[in-house]
Amino acid sequence: MYAFLFFLNFLLVYTVFAVYAERKISAFIQDRYGPMETGYYGLLQTVADLLKLIQKEDIVPLKADRKLFKPAPVIIFTAVFAGFAVLPLTSGFSGSSAQIGIFYLLAIVSLDVVGILMAGWGSNSKYALWGAMRSVAQIISYEIPLGLMVVCVVLIAQTLNLQEITYQQGIWWGHQKAEAANYLFGIKALGIETTHIGGVLTWNIMRSPLLLIGFVIFFIASLAESNRAPFDIPEAESELVAGFHVEYSGFRWSMIMLAEYGMMLLVAFLASILFLGGWNSPFPNIGGVRLAEWTSGIPGTWPGHLWGVFWMISKALFLVAVQMWIRWTYPRLRLDQLMSLSWKYLTPASILLVLLCAVWRLLML
């Protein structure tokens, strides 16, 4: 219950500031000011927009299928928000602590496709239907390389528990009750024992160099999963006005936007957990200078919780900022280019990487 309330409130506050940050980042890239009038440096602009959206009329097109049209935004948001249930925010705050956390997360998040298809079909609009079909095709296509990159991490970590994967990427792994094989294996970066050094040397991208390539593929696929540029074909305003949500207004439209920003944050959290150490500190122990211990805190203590929250949220917000930077830097891909990238390049590379990670795991044992 506490995890539910925390993530709900955090998601709402994050979205308000993320929208403002995206406006400022895009303005900086395009050499302009961005919002400046409402509040100090435009800080209240997003709040004003939110109040306006809440007060707007909830318009349902006359010929729309109301049974599909009205619940679609709720399904989209619920599918995304449910994914936060298994995220380990700190060593002692891990949501549901499900042993198959990754499996659950990938399964539940994929259900947003149902909501998107309902929104496009139920709108009874060609623009909305085309946007929905594009979005469904894109999400299903890029779920394959994204899922295979998750399989790579599972092969290295030998667990589906996100909290255990996070523990393996820090100095406190030896304190956990793990399988004997894993405990004896310890944490190795390029074959060198780094369990007691901690920091970035114990992150998965260092434990196996193959996962550094996996992180790049995962990040590209996550952009497509979130419908973010250069993969925003489903919402191409020059062709489809706004894509599958073109007929929505007011609060229902804001729920779809909240789901999009929530998906950005969710994939950023997941990337941080799988590849970048999760709530573990990036600083290693160097001789008597125990940076990893000082900036991690002992698991289960308040300093440990505070450091964990700080590192976890910092990594996730950094990746969200990179997503925004990419959106306002690179041009939109054509539909054929988008599908070609997934099926001709990322998917074969992902399959090969799964095989190589399995071999790497055997060699490291």
Side-chain angles (χ1 to χ4, degrees), residues 89-327:
L89 194 61
T90 73
S91 58
F93 187 81
S94 56
S96 70
S97 300
Q99 291 300 317
I100 55 170
I102 294 180
F103 182 78
Y104 161 83
L105 195 152
L106 294 179
I108 197 70
V109 169
S110 64
L111 292 179
D112 70 337
V113 171
V114 177
I116 291 172
L117 197 55
M118 287 173 59
W121 182 266
S123 296
N124 194 23
S125 164
K126 290 184 175 61
Y127 292 118
L129 182 57
W130 289 339
M133 295 306 295
R134 283 183 175 188
S135 183
V136 170
Q138 174 176 300
I139 291 174
I140 291 175
S141 297
Y142 281 86
E143 273 182 354
I144 296 173
L146 186 142
L148 289 174
M149 290 307 95
V150 172
V151 170
C152 288
V153 175
V154 171
L155 282 171
I156 299 296
Q158 296 290 291
T159 179
L160 292 171
N161 188 316
L162 290 169
Q163 183 72 292
E164 191 171 338
I165 290 174
T166 309
Y167 261 109
Q168 289 185 25
Q169 299 177 76
I171 56 173
W172 304 114
W173 172 231
H175 293 261
Q176 284 298 96
K177 293 181 180 179
E179 297 178 37
N182 273 338
Y183 181 73
L184 293 174
F185 169 57
I187 302 172
K188 295 182 180 180
L190 301 177
I192 302 172
E193 182 71 38
T194 59
T195 309
H196 303 293
I197 299 175
V200 69
L201 294 176
T202 55
W203 292 2
N204 276 334
I205 56 173
M206 293 297 292
R207 290 176 66 186
S208 171
L210 297 169
L211 291 183
L212 181 57
I213 303 172
F215 170 68
V216 174
I217 296 176
F218 180 93
F219 188 76
I220 293 172
S222 70
L223 290 176
E225 289 287 304
S226 307
N227 286 334
R228 298 288 297 181
F231 302 98
D232 60 339
I233 279 289
E235 302 170 10
E237 68 277 359
S238 59
E239 307 161 34
L240 304 177
V241 187
F244 63 89
H245 52 72
V246 65
E247 300 294 344
Y248 285 93
S249 62
F251 184 70
R252 295 184 195 279
W253 182 87
S254 63
M255 286 192 71
I256 294 175
M257 288 296 100
L258 183 62
E260 179 176 319
Y261 278 88
M263 178 64 88
M264 291 169 59
L265 183 66
L266 180 62
V267 296
F269 270 129
L270 186 58
S272 301
I273 293 168
L274 295 179
F275 300 97
L276 305 180
W279 43 258
N280 287 297
S281 169
F283 301 115
N285 291 327
I286 305 174
V289 183
R290 316 298 291 178
L291 292 177
E293 296 179 15
W294 298 339
T295 59
S296 293
I298 300 173
T301 64
W302 274 110
H305 294 331
L306 293 176
W307 276 115
V309 170
F310 173 75
W311 290 123
M312 188 69 171
I313 293 179
S314 296
K315 293 170 186 178
L317 293 183
F318 172 76
L319 292 178
V320 169
V322 173
Q323 292 175 3
M324 295 177 180
W325 163 60
I326 290 174
R327 173 180 180 178

